């Protein structure tokens, strides 16, 4: 009987999903999170490559992303701007948002390491076709150089008090945009946020600007958390969809209500050198039960230099500084049978038919061990019995030690950012 009910419910759920798997919009303050190349994203390619190839393509952009993250210092960023269109975006997840009155639907990239929000606006040079049209919104206002918000914008070049607040920022390592600071109503699920300040993009250069804009969830003074104050009380959590399929959606839950109560946590740290980023105190890494051996200072958090470990929504596979990664990889390889091969960014791929029990990896943080589920450790080929360790070394042009906990390692986990209590929580959750 119980089985029959379970089966019935399963069929019922699958039938609902079959009608429109992308219809699940929002539930209270929960917003659907989709892979940018997932089925429910408008950026899903008409003839998709294999999902493994898509992930490989996305991971190939990580070095540019990590270089970009390391450039987010209080000093002026000096990221070189490359020209030319690239097809793979560094923003990995999109949120359905509405801007203006009446609301115009925009699929904005969610980025936990960005301060601001920005969208391409009507008249934008080199932008895609979906643009926010300010003239159609009754609540739109542009913000001048004399406004307090303008002084918070990086890359702002105001000369006259009276002029519009125009700024130029780099993004993703090889792209830039020029925008005017404006404000309008932002709708996230059931929440309407009046007078939200964001950049209205006039022109882009390079191929890495998210086509329908970006919503920054970092700590910066212009981020969603800072602009919403008491509404979300500096609290949000997300569950990123599984990398197994492009049909899956995750969720972003904004505010204190509905957040998990019993959750393991570790302190969230902040560096005045890179004030926007979410730093964690990673103290060690285990392969199987064995702690990997490397000089401990390679993980040490240093607020002054910004060295340490961050958690990021826009990097695909976790990156460790070279000696740390080499130690993990060498330890991992000693457990494997048969030959090891490389595939794109992955240098430790193996035959799963002779390695039925690959060793688990545990990330040890202050107060919290995260034993990575197997799917958060490996990426599997669907056609051959091949799996690869889904981690790599950080690019060596980064001028200070920066380890990045990336999104493949975060899938199917609820990650809670609790800024008032300076802590980050992680709990297992099937988010699809
Ligand atoms: C938005 O504005 C443009 C011109 O600025 C107009 O062509 C279009 O019909 C408007 N759309 C709506 C929904 O009002
Ligand atoms: C932003 O500024 C840089 C440096 O001056 C410039 O190369 C780039 O073209 C600008 N971007 C846009 C979109 O105007
Ligand atoms: C990080 O963890 C190490 C080892 O437990 C500890 O000595 C250090 O004080 C911690 N750092 C911070 C900033 O919490
Ligand atoms: C390697 O092969 C041995 C013997 O068949 C097996 O016990 C072990 O679990 C294998 N290693 C992995 C990583 O699966």
């Amino acid at each position: 009987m119980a089985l029959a009910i379970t089966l019935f419910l399963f069929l019922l759920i699958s039938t609902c999903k079959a009608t429109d798997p992308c219809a699940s919009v929002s539930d209270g303050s929960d917003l659907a999170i989709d892979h940018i190349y997932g089925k429910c994203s408008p950026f899903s390619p008409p003839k998709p490559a294999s999902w493994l190839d898509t992930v490989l393509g996305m991971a190939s952009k990580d070095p540019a992303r990590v270089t970009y993250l390391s450039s987010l210092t209080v000093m002026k960023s000096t990221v070189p701007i490359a020209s030319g269109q690239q097809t793979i975006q560094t923003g990995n997840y999109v949120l359905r948002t509405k801007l203006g009155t009446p609301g115009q639907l925009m699929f904005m990239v969610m980025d936990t390491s960005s301060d601001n929000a920005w969208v391409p606006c009507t008249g934008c040079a080199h932008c895609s076709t979906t643009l926010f049209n300010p003239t159609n919104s009754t609540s739109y206002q542009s913000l001048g150089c004399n406004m307090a918000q303008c002084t918070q914008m990086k890359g702002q070049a105001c000369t006259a008090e009276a002029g519009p607040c125009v700024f130029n920022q780099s993004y993703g390592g090889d792209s830039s945009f020029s925008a005017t600071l404006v404000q309008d109503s932002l709708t996230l699920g059931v929440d309407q946020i009046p007078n939200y300040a964001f950049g209205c993009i006039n022109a882009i250069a390079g191929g890495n600007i998210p086509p329908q804009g970006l919503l920054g969830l970092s700590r910066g003074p212009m981020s969603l958390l800072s602009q919403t104050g008491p509404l979300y009380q500096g609290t949000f959590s997300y569950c990123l969809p599984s990398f197994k399929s492009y049909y899956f959606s995750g969720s972003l839950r904004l505010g204190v209500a509905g957040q998990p109560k019993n959750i393991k946590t570790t302190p969230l740290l902040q560096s005045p050198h890179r004030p926007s980023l979410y730093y964690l105190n990673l103290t060690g890494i285990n392969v199987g039960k064995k702690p990997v051996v490397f000089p401990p200072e390679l993980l040490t958090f240093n607020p002054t230099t910004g060295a340490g470990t961050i958690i990021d929504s826009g990097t695909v596979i976790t990156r460790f500084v070279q000696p740390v990664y080499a130690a993990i990889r060498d330890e991992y390889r000693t457990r494997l049978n048969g030959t090891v091969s490389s595939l794109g960014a992955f240098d430790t791929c193996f035959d799963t038919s002779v390695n039925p029990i690959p060793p688990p990896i545990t990330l040890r943080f202050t107060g919290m061990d995260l034993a990575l589920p197997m799917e958060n450790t490996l990426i599997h080929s669907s056609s051959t019995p091949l799996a690869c360790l889904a981690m790599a070394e950080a690019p060596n042009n980064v001028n200070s030690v920066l380890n990045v906990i990336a999104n493949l390692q975060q899938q199917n986990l609820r990650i809670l950012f609790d800024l008032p209590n300076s802590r980050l929580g992680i709990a297992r959750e099937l988010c699809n």
Side-chain angles (χ1 to χ4, degrees):
M1 181 62 185
L3 182 68
I5 291 172
T6 312
L7 192 64
F8 170 73
L9 280 175
F10 173 74
L11 288 173
L12 187 72
I13 291 163
S14 355
T15 328
C16 293
K17 284 210 160 156
T19 38
D20 184 4
C22 302
S24 64
V25 191
S26 53
D27 165 23
S29 285
D30 273 20
L31 297 171
I33 297 180
D34 289 303
H35 274 295
I36 191 160
Y37 296 118
K39 270 278 183 277
C40 301
S41 157
F43 313 114
S44 170
K47 258 187 93 192
S50 84
W51 189 230
L52 176 66
D53 287 342
T54 305
V55 175
L56 282 172
M58 289 166 79
S60 73
K61 301 294 278 187
D62 277 356
R65 170 79 182 179
V66 176
T67 307
Y68 163 72
L69 293 174
S70 74
S71 78
L72 296 176
T73 60
V74 281
M75 268 84 76
K76 272 230 154 32
S77 112
T78 51
V79 179
I81 310 292
S83 58
Q85 291 293 112
Q86 273 129 347
T87 47
I88 298 287
Q89 297 291 327
T90 50
N92 299 132
Y93 299 98
V94 287
L95 300 169
R96 275 163 254 214
T97 66
K98 283 185 176 164
L99 266 185
T101 313
Q104 300 176 35
L105 179 66
M106 303 297 288
F107 284 82
M108 294 167 89
V109 159
M110 169 185 108
D111 190 338
T112 55
S113 298
S114 283
D115 288 347
N116 322 136
W118 26 268
V119 295
C121 287
T122 307
C124 174
H126 312 298
C127 285
S128 69
T129 48
T130 302
L131 303 168
F132 173 66
N133 189 340
T135 56
N136 289 6
S137 172
T138 55
S139 44
Y140 170 89
Q141 271 184 301
S142 73
L143 295 171
C145 283
N146 56 342
M147 300 300 286
Q149 292 104 316
C150 188
T151 58
Q152 309 279 11
M153 302 307 292
K154 272 191 202 147
Q156 158 266 112
C158 283
T159 44
E161 275 265 300
C165 180
V166 175
F167 61 96
N168 171 325
Q169 289 182 356
S170 65
Y171 184 74
D174 60 3
S175 302
S176 73
F177 63 87
S178 130
T180 308
L181 191 64
V182 303
Q183 66 180 24
D184 207 334
S185 166
L186 169 67
T187 306
L188 298 173
V190 295
D191 299 328
Q192 203 169 1
I193 304 149
N195 306 323
Y196 197 80
F198 60 94
C200 199
I201 302 182
N202 316 310
I204 62 174
N208 261 324
I209 301 299
Q212 295 188 25
L214 174 143
L215 187 64
L217 293 178
S218 79
R219 298 169 179 273
M222 296 294 282
S223 82
L224 179 70
L225 298 177
S226 304
Q227 290 199 49
T228 51
L231 178 61
Y232 299 136
Q233 296 176 46
T235 307
F236 70 95
S237 72
Y238 58 65
C239 189
L240 299 179
S242 171
F243 273 68
K244 269 193 193 143
S245 154
Y246 26 35
Y247 245 131
F248 296 156
S249 296
S251 68
L252 172 68
R253 185 173 303 151
L254 295 160
V256 177
Q259 299 297 359
K261 295 279 180 298
N262 294 317
I263 188 167
K264 280 197 252 172
T265 65
T266 187
L268 263 181
L269 309 174
Q270 189 166 24
S271 157
H273 188 62
R274 296 193 187 98
S276 303
L277 303 181
Y278 293 110
Y279 280 87
L280 304 175
N281 198 18
L282 179 66
T283 57
I285 296 130
N286 287 14
V287 171
K289 290 201 165 63
K290 190 178 167 193
V292 178
V293 181
F294 47 78
E297 61 270 20
L298 292 172
L299 294 184
T300 304
F301 173 66
N302 182 329
T304 316
T305 62
T309 304
I310 62 160
I311 184 164
D312 177 43
S313 67
T315 309
V316 181
I317 59 171
T318 290
R319 302 273 169 171
F320 295 105
V321 291
Q322 194 275 336
V324 172
Y325 177 67
I328 296 170
R329 178 197 59 202
D330 293 349
E331 183 57 41
Y332 200 88
R333 284 181 179 177
T334 62
R335 315 291 176 101
L336 298 175
N337 301 311
T339 53
V340 167
S341 58
S342 293
L343 187 64
F346 309 116
D347 66 5
T348 302
C349 302
F350 55 88
D351 184 340
T352 51
S353 63
V354 296
N355 291 290
I357 317 167
I361 291 190
T362 302
L363 304 177
R364 304 199 321 266
F365 301 96
T366 299
M368 176 181 82
D369 281 356
L370 174 61
L372 292 173
M374 206 48 79
E375 64 157 356
N376 297 26
T377 309
L378 302 175
I379 178 124
H380 288 267
S381 160
S382 52
S383 47
T384 53
L386 181 84
C388 303
L389 176 62
M391 295 179 182
E393 62 186 52
N396 58 14
N397 58 344
V398 171
N399 55 8
S400 85
V401 183
L402 192 63
N403 303 291
V404 181
I405 309 298
N407 53 48
L408 191 140
Q409 275 67 40
Q410 298 175 49
Q411 61 181 318
N412 280 329
L413 296 172
R414 170 97 12 217
I415 317 267
L416 171 69
F417 292 75
D418 176 354
L419 273 61
N421 298 304
S422 294
R423 55 184 200 142
L424 178 121
I426 301 186
R428 291 289 284 269
E429 181 177 321
L430 202 60
C431 60
N432 310 121

